Structure formats: structure tokens, C-alpha cells
Amino acid sequence: AALRAQWQPGLRAYRTLDGVPGTPGARAELVVQLGGRPVVMIETLLEQSPPERFSASYAAEGVVNIVHNRFTGAGDATGWLLESELTLPPLLVLMGPLVAPLFRQQFD
């Protein structure tokens, strides 16, 4: 959890809920600063195979985001491929074109 702030700059708090941290099925509560307000997310670890893979689902306020991270190394460089499956509640689907720039700004 200590290194998360380096690659999750909006992270404000992290607390293990259940399961063995670092193993599939482990759950944690994250508080993330998103768009100027704190958002509580539940993280469920799906896969952790360091240093090549990390996958987890994040659920908050009716939104579920499944994130698959893959890393490759070549010399001093690291390649990072992120695939994200985002499920939104119907109202946010309708507002998608309006909120898309906020998501891009947060993750660029």
C-alpha cells in the first residue's frame, strides 16, 4: 500500500477489508480524490503476477471498473499496457459525452 501513492496520485487512504493482501479475492477500501471530492472504492484483486500482471476490479457508487495492467521490460524502460472495462449506471451512460473529458483529465 505504501508505494500506491506513486502510481495512484489521488489515493488518500487504503484499508484491507478481507482476504490475504496480494492474493486473488482480497478486498480493500480505497479513498481516492476524484474531481475535487473523495470517492470510496472497493478494490477486489483479480490477479497479481509480479512483475508482469496486475488486475483488479474497483466498485464505487454504481460504477464498476475492471482494470488489467501488463508490464514489459527492456533495459531501463518499462512498457505498460492498461485495459479497462467500465460499467456505468444508466444515468451516467447518458451523461457520458459530458463526463468523458473529466475521466481523461484524471488519468492523463
mmCIF file of all heavy atoms in Angstrom, residues 2 6 13 15 19 26-27 37-38 42 45 51 53 71 78 89 99 106-107:
data_model
loop_
_atom_site.group_PDB
_atom_site.id
_atom_site.type_symbol
_atom_site.label_atom_id
_atom_site.label_comp_id
_atom_site.label_asym_id
_atom_site.label_seq_id
_atom_site.Cartn_x
_atom_site.Cartn_y
_atom_site.Cartn_z
ATOM 1 N N ALA A 2 2.063 1.174 0.575
ATOM 2 C CA ALA A 2 2.911 2.365 0.697
ATOM 3 C C ALA A 2 3.323 2.923 -0.662
ATOM 4 O O ALA A 2 3.418 4.135 -0.821
ATOM 5 C CB ALA A 2 4.137 2.041 1.534
ATOM 6 N N GLN A 6 2.547 6.512 -5.369
ATOM 7 C CA GLN A 6 3.401 6.879 -6.501
ATOM 8 C C GLN A 6 2.704 6.659 -7.831
ATOM 9 O O GLN A 6 2.929 7.395 -8.784
ATOM 10 C CB GLN A 6 4.705 6.075 -6.460
ATOM 11 C CG GLN A 6 5.587 6.444 -5.301
ATOM 12 C CD GLN A 6 6.863 5.621 -5.260
ATOM 13 O OE1 GLN A 6 7.208 4.931 -6.216
ATOM 14 N NE2 GLN A 6 7.559 5.692 -4.151
ATOM 15 N N ALA A 13 -6.456 7.115 1.183
ATOM 16 C CA ALA A 13 -6.490 6.109 2.254
ATOM 17 C C ALA A 13 -6.651 4.724 1.632
ATOM 18 O O ALA A 13 -7.244 4.579 0.560
ATOM 19 C CB ALA A 13 -7.637 6.391 3.210
ATOM 20 N N ARG A 15 -7.363 0.587 3.110
ATOM 21 C CA ARG A 15 -7.610 -0.280 4.258
ATOM 22 C C ARG A 15 -8.032 -1.655 3.767
ATOM 23 O O ARG A 15 -8.966 -1.789 2.979
ATOM 24 C CB ARG A 15 -8.718 0.325 5.119
ATOM 25 C CG ARG A 15 -9.111 -0.497 6.319
ATOM 26 C CD ARG A 15 -10.104 0.259 7.189
ATOM 27 N NE ARG A 15 -11.380 0.475 6.546
ATOM 28 C CZ ARG A 15 -12.453 -0.298 6.709
ATOM 29 N NH1 ARG A 15 -12.404 -1.356 7.479
ATOM 30 N NH2 ARG A 15 -13.578 -0.007 6.088
ATOM 31 N N GLY A 19 -9.634 -11.155 3.171
ATOM 32 C CA GLY A 19 -8.735 -11.921 2.317
ATOM 33 C C GLY A 19 -7.283 -11.626 2.666
ATOM 34 O O GLY A 19 -6.985 -10.767 3.490
ATOM 35 N N ALA A 26 -8.777 -10.912 -2.486
ATOM 36 C CA ALA A 26 -8.561 -9.954 -1.401
ATOM 37 C C ALA A 26 -9.286 -8.660 -1.730
ATOM 38 O O ALA A 26 -9.293 -8.206 -2.873
ATOM 39 C CB ALA A 26 -7.069 -9.705 -1.194
ATOM 40 N N ARG A 27 -9.904 -8.077 -0.701
ATOM 41 C CA ARG A 27 -10.663 -6.836 -0.900
ATOM 42 C C ARG A 27 -10.122 -5.738 0.001
ATOM 43 O O ARG A 27 -9.691 -6.001 1.123
ATOM 44 C CB ARG A 27 -12.142 -7.056 -0.615
ATOM 45 C CG ARG A 27 -12.811 -7.971 -1.614
ATOM 46 C CD ARG A 27 -14.280 -8.296 -1.306
ATOM 47 N NE ARG A 27 -14.805 -7.746 -0.094
ATOM 48 C CZ ARG A 27 -15.802 -6.839 -0.025
ATOM 49 N NH1 ARG A 27 -16.375 -6.415 -1.110
ATOM 50 N NH2 ARG A 27 -16.229 -6.398 1.137
ATOM 51 N N ARG A 37 -13.348 15.714 -5.142
ATOM 52 C CA ARG A 37 -14.059 15.165 -3.987
ATOM 53 C C ARG A 37 -13.575 13.755 -3.694
ATOM 54 O O ARG A 37 -13.131 13.046 -4.595
ATOM 55 C CB ARG A 37 -15.567 15.186 -4.207
ATOM 56 C CG ARG A 37 -16.048 14.238 -5.284
ATOM 57 C CD ARG A 37 -17.566 14.369 -5.471
ATOM 58 N NE ARG A 37 -18.038 13.408 -6.417
ATOM 59 C CZ ARG A 37 -18.526 12.216 -6.103
ATOM 60 N NH1 ARG A 37 -18.609 11.840 -4.857
ATOM 61 N NH2 ARG A 37 -18.939 11.392 -7.037
ATOM 62 N N PRO A 38 -13.667 13.344 -2.428
ATOM 63 C CA PRO A 38 -13.247 11.983 -2.097
ATOM 64 C C PRO A 38 -14.286 10.957 -2.554
ATOM 65 O O PRO A 38 -15.484 11.172 -2.415
ATOM 66 C CB PRO A 38 -13.119 12.000 -0.574
ATOM 67 C CG PRO A 38 -13.996 13.115 -0.129
ATOM 68 C CD PRO A 38 -14.051 14.105 -1.254
ATOM 69 N N ILE A 42 -14.244 0.066 -3.557
ATOM 70 C CA ILE A 42 -13.885 -1.268 -3.074
ATOM 71 C C ILE A 42 -13.066 -1.937 -4.174
ATOM 72 O O ILE A 42 -13.544 -2.086 -5.302
ATOM 73 C CB ILE A 42 -15.125 -2.122 -2.736
ATOM 74 C CG1 ILE A 42 -15.988 -1.412 -1.686
ATOM 75 C CG2 ILE A 42 -14.699 -3.518 -2.279
ATOM 76 C CD1 ILE A 42 -15.296 -1.130 -0.370
ATOM 77 N N LEU A 45 -8.948 -7.817 -5.745
ATOM 78 C CA LEU A 45 -7.804 -8.272 -6.525
ATOM 79 C C LEU A 45 -8.202 -9.483 -7.362
ATOM 80 O O LEU A 45 -8.738 -10.459 -6.836
ATOM 81 C CB LEU A 45 -6.642 -8.626 -5.598
ATOM 82 C CG LEU A 45 -5.349 -9.018 -6.280
ATOM 83 C CD1 LEU A 45 -4.812 -7.889 -7.152
ATOM 84 C CD2 LEU A 45 -4.318 -9.412 -5.240
ATOM 85 N N PRO A 51 6.467 -9.601 -12.003
ATOM 86 C CA PRO A 51 6.256 -8.190 -12.334
ATOM 87 C C PRO A 51 5.448 -7.993 -13.611
ATOM 88 O O PRO A 51 5.361 -6.892 -14.114
ATOM 89 C CB PRO A 51 7.690 -7.687 -12.530
ATOM 90 C CG PRO A 51 8.402 -8.858 -13.146
ATOM 91 C CD PRO A 51 7.766 -10.089 -12.502
ATOM 92 N N ARG A 53 1.932 -8.849 -14.393
ATOM 93 C CA ARG A 53 0.483 -8.583 -14.437
ATOM 94 C C ARG A 53 -0.076 -8.153 -13.092
ATOM 95 O O ARG A 53 0.356 -8.609 -12.051
ATOM 96 C CB ARG A 53 -0.275 -9.835 -14.865
ATOM 97 C CG ARG A 53 0.036 -10.302 -16.255
ATOM 98 C CD ARG A 53 -0.762 -11.577 -16.563
ATOM 99 N NE ARG A 53 -0.505 -12.042 -17.891
ATOM 100 C CZ ARG A 53 -1.151 -11.619 -18.977
ATOM 101 N NH1 ARG A 53 -2.093 -10.737 -18.871
ATOM 102 N NH2 ARG A 53 -0.840 -12.086 -20.161
ATOM 103 N N PHE A 71 2.905 -5.386 -17.802
ATOM 104 C CA PHE A 71 4.166 -4.671 -17.835
ATOM 105 C C PHE A 71 5.202 -5.490 -18.590
ATOM 106 O O PHE A 71 5.251 -6.711 -18.461
ATOM 107 C CB PHE A 71 4.668 -4.421 -16.407
ATOM 108 C CG PHE A 71 3.654 -3.725 -15.543
ATOM 109 C CD1 PHE A 71 2.819 -4.454 -14.708
ATOM 110 C CD2 PHE A 71 3.530 -2.344 -15.574
ATOM 111 C CE1 PHE A 71 1.879 -3.819 -13.915
ATOM 112 C CE2 PHE A 71 2.587 -1.702 -14.783
ATOM 113 C CZ PHE A 71 1.763 -2.444 -13.959
ATOM 114 N N THR A 78 10.265 0.510 -18.982
ATOM 115 C CA THR A 78 9.147 -0.377 -18.679
ATOM 116 C C THR A 78 7.984 -0.010 -19.579
ATOM 117 O O THR A 78 7.580 1.157 -19.634
ATOM 118 C CB THR A 78 8.707 -0.237 -17.201
ATOM 119 O OG1 THR A 78 9.797 -0.583 -16.362
ATOM 120 C CG2 THR A 78 7.526 -1.138 -16.894
ATOM 121 N N PRO A 89 -23.812 3.149 -14.476
ATOM 122 C CA PRO A 89 -25.266 3.135 -14.325
ATOM 123 C C PRO A 89 -25.912 3.904 -15.485
ATOM 124 O O PRO A 89 -25.264 4.756 -16.103
ATOM 125 C CB PRO A 89 -25.518 3.819 -12.986
ATOM 126 C CG PRO A 89 -24.250 4.459 -12.589
ATOM 127 C CD PRO A 89 -23.146 3.886 -13.425
ATOM 128 N N VAL A 99 -19.054 13.775 -19.258
ATOM 129 C CA VAL A 99 -18.072 13.445 -18.218
ATOM 130 C C VAL A 99 -16.792 12.818 -18.778
ATOM 131 O O VAL A 99 -15.792 12.736 -18.068
ATOM 132 C CB VAL A 99 -18.669 12.519 -17.133
ATOM 133 C CG1 VAL A 99 -19.798 13.209 -16.403
ATOM 134 C CG2 VAL A 99 -19.103 11.194 -17.697
ATOM 135 N N GLN A 106 -8.273 13.095 -15.440
ATOM 136 C CA GLN A 106 -7.833 12.410 -14.229
ATOM 137 C C GLN A 106 -6.742 11.387 -14.519
ATOM 138 O O GLN A 106 -5.851 11.198 -13.711
ATOM 139 C CB GLN A 106 -9.030 11.697 -13.558
ATOM 140 C CG GLN A 106 -8.689 10.928 -12.307
ATOM 141 C CD GLN A 106 -8.351 11.819 -11.119
ATOM 142 O OE1 GLN A 106 -8.780 12.945 -11.038
ATOM 143 N NE2 GLN A 106 -7.568 11.302 -10.199
ATOM 144 N N PHE A 107 -6.799 10.723 -15.674
ATOM 145 C CA PHE A 107 -5.897 9.621 -15.947
ATOM 146 C C PHE A 107 -4.809 9.918 -16.965
ATOM 147 O O PHE A 107 -4.034 9.062 -17.314
ATOM 148 C CB PHE A 107 -6.698 8.374 -16.358
ATOM 149 C CG PHE A 107 -7.605 7.929 -15.261
ATOM 150 C CD1 PHE A 107 -8.969 8.130 -15.354
ATOM 151 C CD2 PHE A 107 -7.096 7.333 -14.124
ATOM 152 C CE1 PHE A 107 -9.809 7.729 -14.332
ATOM 153 C CE2 PHE A 107 -7.929 6.926 -13.096
ATOM 154 C CZ PHE A 107 -9.291 7.129 -13.201
#
